[in-house]
Amino acid sequence: MATLQIKSLTDLNPLRRTTTTTTTTQVKKLFLLTFTCFFFYILGSYTPNSSPTTSLSLPCPPQPTNLSTTTHTTIVTIPSIPSNTLKFEPQHALPIPPDPIDLQFFPLCTKNFTNYCPCQDPSRESRFNVEKKFHRERHCPESAAEAVRCLIPRPRGYRGAVRWPESRGSVWFANVPFARLASYKKSQNWVRVEGDRLAFPGGGTSFPMGAKSYVSEIGRVVPLKSGLVRTVLDVGCGVGSFGAHLMDFNILTMSIAPRDTHEAQVQFALERGLPAMLGILSIHRLPFPSRSFDMAHCSRCLVPWTEYDGLYLLEIDRILRPGGYWVLSGPPINWRANSKGWKRGTRDLEKEQATLEDLAGRLCWKKIAEHETVAVWRKPTNHVHCSQKMKAWKSPHFCRALEPDSGWYKKMEPCITPLPKVKSVKDTSGGALEKWPKRLLVAPPRMRNMLSKEIDLKIFYLDNQLWNRRVGHYEKFIESLPDGKYRNIMDMNAGFGGFAAALSRYPVWVMNVVPFDANNTLGIIYERGLIGTYMNWCEAFSTYPRTYDLIHADRIFSMYMDKCDIVDILLEMHRVLRPEGALIIRDHVDVIVKVKNVAERMSWNGTIQHSERGPHNPEKVLFIDNSEPLS
């Protein structure tokens, strides 16, 4: 039997083609069957406009009118769909009965909660031991019965915050209506009430000539202009005037103070647009990693540095970077000339300074200056010589536990935190840092040291590029970044600090928060010249209400979905956010929809937008701008 073979197109020549009647019939039947299926498919999918059946109707974008042509290509510009058409909630043919509890709006708290700080609530302090002022530490509500599920009200007459840089000098009195500090510290010029404003002349307990003059005096010893000093910790910060004047040198200061009888010192600082948070040296470590700060400062901060075997000075040593500076002003420095003014006995002051000098020596700190009431020590760049001295001393010894960066509810120990080992006495432990601002965009030593843990150094630079793109995307929806409206910014899940680095061109500062049980990247953030803290977002942040202008939350709700109620996290965000502030929440679309539903119950109007990855990516961004418009 012969076989028909077609080897080329020439074989299809009709003069040479031979077919059978059977083959032709089969082809016709197949064509008819295909046409019939296609016809009924089109007919079945068509629904006339007059049909009573419920259907989802989406607005159609207008036809393009802007046509630009070239010799090679025709470009059609199609307007994007308005943001309010992006709806990601499930669409149902039949309505689902509403849950009356879920749809209830959260009520306003009573007026006595206007300045409520859940973890620093004075009404709960009496439950805790007063030794080492433990009652002033964080003590958060432990049960649902203690949790406050209402919206913190703003003070009567609250006004939109004064914008930076004007806010550094004065703020609205109605926003922080506390006159007691102005009266109590009147002679020291901390703060004055001037009409409807609070003015900050720059005075302080240890700098009667003003903070500017005081900072200039320190600058004669510490190289403030060189870029070597970028991050500073101010213990017992008052109203933040020391940190305010360090900004003239591009120095970023983390100011801490407890909630005490002087009302709201930290709240004053934040209202001025200065970095600050509630904190105290008591039993637990400060919530920062080791080798964080280029300088630490205390201006008559009332910390008992020589008590408890030098415990608090050892904590300062832990958070100071190698080669960092410690500045102390006030008692007992230069006690011979100042004992009368301090109204203290000379013997006590002499003994206190001798003990302090001995402690600093055992830490291998070198005293580099003492003038009037100010003394400056410098921490060694490594522990080579110090290790040799330790053999001759009984205490303090080097800590044996290898958790130098642990700073979340970690108890302080009376031991010296060892610095990373070096090959030479001339080397800097952990690696030398670049000067500011170069250190912001260069992979820091800690990042390079993590290579042994299979972290590619390229991740750092790719992360920078990613956040530049994301911030560029945010700018389409948040238009007030350049003009000072958003000054105090919080990043709830900071990673490597890429979001803060991308915002560095704006007049803002960012509190970079690293969840305590996530990847510990806070040390990298500090080595970049940024500041931040550890945090558990199932608890309240250590700040007063209405202290942040913009809050950024990247995947926070996915991270905490199974740890605590996201409602409580949103209520905390509402407490911390200023009434005219904004939120940027990015997460998976399913999470974003849940968050938006809760936000609406808080009278927040949010819009869901695509992320910079486009409409086909499940990650979306919820923007809540002007979250509580002022009347």
Side-chain angles (χ1 to χ4, degrees):
M1 179 178 179
T3 302
L4 179 63
Q5 294 181 346
I6 299 178
K7 299 181 179 179
S8 66
L9 290 177
T10 58
D11 293 338
L12 297 178
N13 190 318
L15 297 178
R16 302 175 60 183
R17 185 174 59 207
T18 60
T19 59
T20 64
T21 304
T22 302
T23 303
T24 304
T25 304
Q26 290 176 347
V27 170
K28 289 181 179 180
K29 288 181 179 181
L30 180 62
F31 176 80
L32 182 61
L33 179 62
T34 302
F35 176 80
T36 303
C37 292
F38 180 77
F39 173 78
F40 281 104
Y41 173 81
I42 296 298
L43 183 63
S45 62
Y46 173 72
T47 303
N49 293 334
S50 59
S51 173
T53 305
T54 303
S55 63
L56 178 63
S57 177
L58 293 177
C60 184
Q63 295 299 317
T65 57
N66 182 14
L67 303 178
S68 58
T69 61
T70 66
T71 57
H72 301 287
T73 309
T74 300
I75 300 175
V76 181
T77 304
I78 303 178
S80 60
I81 298 176
S83 61
N84 58 6
T85 65
L86 289 174
K87 298 181 179 180
F88 300 99
E89 295 85 351
Q91 305 295 322
H92 303 278
L94 295 175
I96 297 177
D99 186 337
I101 298 178
D102 287 345
L103 294 181
Q104 288 180 354
F105 283 85
F106 289 98
L108 280 177
C109 303
T110 54
K111 291 183 179 180
N112 59 314
F113 281 92
T114 299
N115 298 294
Y116 178 58
C117 300
C119 299
Q120 284 90 4
D121 185 1
S123 66
R124 303 177 70 249
E125 288 184 357
S126 60
R127 307 180 191 179
F128 305 100
N129 197 327
V130 298
E131 185 180 0
K132 297 182 182 178
K133 298 185 178 179
F134 178 62
H135 60 298
R136 295 283 179 84
E137 276 203 1
R138 286 175 56 87
H139 299 290
C140 303
E142 298 178 356
S143 64
E146 289 186 288
V148 174
R149 280 202 165 187
C150 52
L151 306 180
I152 303 300
R154 56 182 183 244
R156 182 178 180 181
Y158 184 91
R159 304 173 66 170
V162 177
R163 296 194 178 187
W164 183 266
E166 183 185 354
S167 62
R168 184 166 79 164
S170 68
V171 300
W172 299 119
F173 177 77
N175 292 6
V176 277
F178 306 114
R180 181 178 176 182
L181 190 61
S183 175
Y184 184 79
K185 297 288 185 179
K186 184 177 181 180
S187 61
Q188 297 172 10
N189 236 8
W190 283 27
V191 58
R192 293 197 302 259
V193 179
E194 297 180 350
D196 58 359
R197 293 209 180 201
L198 286 170
F200 302 93
T205 304
S206 292
F207 32 94
M209 302 302 294
K212 186 175 183 178
S213 174
Y214 176 77
V215 168
S216 297
E217 181 181 345
I218 294 173
R220 297 188 184 99
V221 180
V222 181
L224 300 179
K225 298 180 181 180
S226 66
L228 290 172
V229 177
R230 165 62 180 173
T231 56
V232 173
L233 176 69
D234 187 15
V235 181
C237 61
V239 295
S241 292
F242 177 70
H245 287 277
L246 282 177
M247 286 187 170
D248 295 337
F249 301 93
N250 286 322
I251 293 174
L252 197 57
T253 304
M254 173 74 82
S255 298
I256 62 170
R259 178 167 184 161
D260 60 8
T261 56
H262 294 162
E263 295 171 323
Q265 298 180 52
V266 167
Q267 191 174 11
F268 282 136
L270 286 160
E271 188 70 20
R272 298 174 68 183
L274 306 171
M277 62 184 294
L278 291 165
I280 188 173
L281 285 163
S282 174
I283 289 179
H284 294 100
R285 287 178 176 178
L286 296 174
F288 315 120
S290 65
R291 299 180 281 129
S292 300
F293 296 95
D294 302 316
M295 185 171 82
H297 171 260
C298 163
S299 172
R300 204 170 183 178
C301 57
L302 305 181
V303 174
W305 298 112
T306 59
E307 296 181 20
Y308 314 118
D309 297 322
L311 189 65
Y312 301 144
L313 206 61
L314 289 163
E315 175 65 359
I316 294 298
D317 179 74
R318 182 185 73 87
I319 62 174
L320 264 185
R321 73 167 176 84
Y325 300 89
W326 188 55
V327 180
L328 176 66
S329 65
I333 303 304
N334 200 359
W335 57 271
R336 290 182 178 87
N338 299 289
S339 59
K340 291 183 179 180
W342 294 333
K343 298 180 180 179
R344 288 184 57 184
T346 56
R347 288 185 179 181
D348 289 342
L349 289 168
E350 181 181 12
K351 181 180 178 182
E352 185 177 340
Q353 178 146 4
T355 305
L356 185 65
E357 300 281 5
D358 180 65
L359 280 169
R362 291 175 182 269
L363 290 169
C364 299
W365 291 1
K366 181 180 179 180
K367 191 174 186 179
I368 60 176
E370 181 175 332
H371 178 67
E372 294 184 354
T373 61
V374 181
V376 181
W377 285 264
R378 191 176 188 191
K379 180 177 177 176
T381 55
N382 57 64
H383 275 161
V384 174
H385 289 313
C386 199
S387 298
Q388 298 172 357
K389 292 181 180 180
M390 287 296 149
K391 297 177 181 179
W393 292 336
K394 294 182 179 180
S395 64
H397 58 274
F398 283 117
C399 300
R400 297 175 182 175
L402 299 178
E403 293 182 335
D405 292 343
S406 179
W408 187 250
Y409 292 119
K410 174 72 174 179
K411 286 190 176 182
M412 287 185 275
E413 298 178 46
C415 56
I416 300 174
T417 302
L419 291 173
K421 294 182 179 180
V422 295
K423 296 180 180 179
S424 170
V425 70
K426 297 181 180 180
D427 293 340
T428 300
S429 291
L433 301 181
E434 297 286 352
K435 294 182 179 180
W436 179 264
K438 187 177 180 180
R439 71 166 75 171
L440 178 66
L441 301 177
V442 175
R446 291 195 201 219
M447 190 75 183
R448 296 195 295 268
N449 294 337
M450 291 174 71
L451 286 173
S452 59
K453 299 180 181 179
E454 300 181 355
I455 295 182
D456 193 337
L457 194 60
K458 292 181 180 179
I459 291 177
F460 177 79
Y461 297 104
L462 290 174
D463 187 71
N464 286 341
Q465 295 174 15
L466 172 66
W467 282 107
N468 281 329
R469 289 197 303 272
R470 287 180 171 179
V471 169
H473 182 66
Y474 295 161
E475 288 169 346
K476 300 175 184 178
F477 308 98
I478 305 292
E479 300 177 352
S480 300
L481 283 171
D483 62 10
K485 177 181 179 181
Y486 304 116
R487 170 64 182 170
N488 304 349
I489 296 179
M490 177 185 288
D491 191 0
M492 296 176 69
N493 186 21
F496 296 134
F499 175 66
L503 290 174
S504 61
R505 62 184 180 272
Y506 293 127
V508 305
W509 68 271
V510 180
M511 179 69 78
N512 293 280
V513 181
V514 173
F516 79 103
D517 54 353
N519 292 330
N520 191 349
T521 56
L522 194 54
I524 293 173
I525 289 171
Y526 270 95
E527 288 191 349
R528 299 186 70 177
L530 305 170
I531 59 173
T533 181
Y534 295 117
M535 182 60 192
N536 176 3
W537 284 114
C538 290
E539 300 180 1
F541 195 76
S542 293
T543 191
Y544 287 87
R546 304 173 300 280
T547 45
Y548 284 87
D549 305 298
L550 176 65
I551 299 177
H552 179 256
D554 176 25
R555 294 171 289 119
I556 275 293
F557 293 97
S558 289
M559 184 183 298
Y560 281 87
M561 191 68 70
D562 298 325
K563 298 177 182 179
C564 51
D565 197 332
I566 65 170
V567 172
D568 293 320
I569 298 177
L570 279 165
L571 286 171
E572 174 62 6
M573 294 168 74
H574 186 282
R575 184 186 75 89
V576 169
L577 188 68
R578 282 178 171 166
E580 69 278 18
L583 295 175
I584 303 174
I585 303 172
R586 62 183 304 131
D587 218 311
H588 189 278
V589 59
D590 295 339
V591 178
I592 286 291
V593 170
K594 292 179 181 179
V595 170
K596 185 176 184 294
N597 289 338
V598 178
E600 289 175 348
R601 294 164 54 198
M602 300 163 64
S603 300
W604 276 346
N605 294 318
T607 59
I608 300 176
Q609 302 286 350
H610 298 307
S611 72
E612 70 287 344
R613 297 180 179 180
H616 301 296
N617 192 279
E619 185 179 52
K620 303 301 174 186
V621 184
L622 174 62
F623 291 95
I624 300 177
D625 197 9
N626 294 320
S627 53
E628 191 178 332
L630 300 176
S631 57

